[in-house]
Amino acid sequence: MKIALASDHAGFRYKTIVGAFLRADGHEVVDFGTSSEEPVDYPLWIRPAAEAVARGECERGVIFGGSGNGEAIVANRVRGIRCAVCWNTEAARFARAHNDANLISIGERLVAEADLRAIVETWLTTRFEGGRHARRIAEIDA
């Protein structure tokens, strides 16, 4: 799978960790930045990653910040993006199964590093259940 990654300075370390394990698992990773823990204005990095997913250049995306909330807000401003803030595996599972989230946002200051891989892997492997929500999601994306 081709996966977009992006972060602000507060999520840089987790972006680096996730990028490494995704590559090791055979995924193609497109890193939209940032490239350090130097303070940056997060929309400059998050929006291009979300746009790449919306255009189909990347199949999914994971974005990172301090809390993940601001990053999710920016991503969800892009038509065709369904970004959920995920703080545990249950949130990640529901984001895919019920909401067909094509991006997730993780807060480095709120999520334990030990939980990081399980959250991302749960989201990547959970299938969208479709059902009555599928039509509504398609309408929103149109």
Side-chain angles (χ1 to χ4, degrees), residues 4-27:
L5 298 182
S7 73
D8 71 354
H9 54 283
F12 173 73
R13 192 169 68 81
Y14 275 16
K15 178 178 67 89
T16 302
I17 292 167
V18 169
F21 78 65
L22 288 173
R23 286 181 188 95
D25 288 348
H27 297 285

Side-chain angles (χ1 to χ4, degrees), residues 13 23 30 32 41 47 64 66 74 85 99 106 108 128:
R13 192 169 68 81
R23 286 181 188 95
V30 181
F32 287 85
D41 191 13
R47 187 168 181 95
F64 305 87
V74 168
V85 178
N99 307 119
I106 299 174
E108 187 170 322
F128 176 48

Side-chain angles (χ1 to χ4, degrees), residues 31-44:
D31 188 336
F32 287 85
T34 191
S35 57
S36 76
E37 292 179 341
E38 289 294 314
V40 295
D41 191 13
Y42 63 86
L44 298 174

Side-chain angles (χ1 to χ4, degrees), residues 45-141:
W45 310 104
I46 302 304
R47 187 168 181 95
E51 290 171 340
V53 173
R55 286 191 303 266
E57 295 167 10
C58 294
E59 294 165 74
R60 297 206 200 152
V62 185
I63 56 179
F64 305 87
S67 71
N69 287 312
E71 291 75 18
I73 290 167
V74 168
N76 281 319
R77 300 278 317 227
V78 176
R79 186 183 248 345
I81 293 300
R82 295 169 308 283
C83 182
V85 178
C86 293
W87 55 90
N88 59 32
T89 57
E90 278 301 288
R93 186 174 67 77
F94 286 130
R96 277 297 300 153
H98 296 180
N99 307 119
D100 197 21
N102 52 9
L103 243 77
I104 59 171
S105 184
I106 299 174
E108 187 170 322
R109 295 175 181 153
L110 302 176
V111 172
E113 185 176 334
D115 298 332
L116 191 55
R117 185 178 188 116
I119 291 168
V120 174
E121 288 179 347
T122 296
W123 174 71
L124 286 174
T125 58
T126 300
R127 296 175 52 97
F128 176 48
E129 293 175 357
R132 69 182 196 273
H133 303 297
R135 190 177 88 251
R136 290 283 186 216
I137 289 171
E139 291 170 359
I140 291 167
D141 284 349

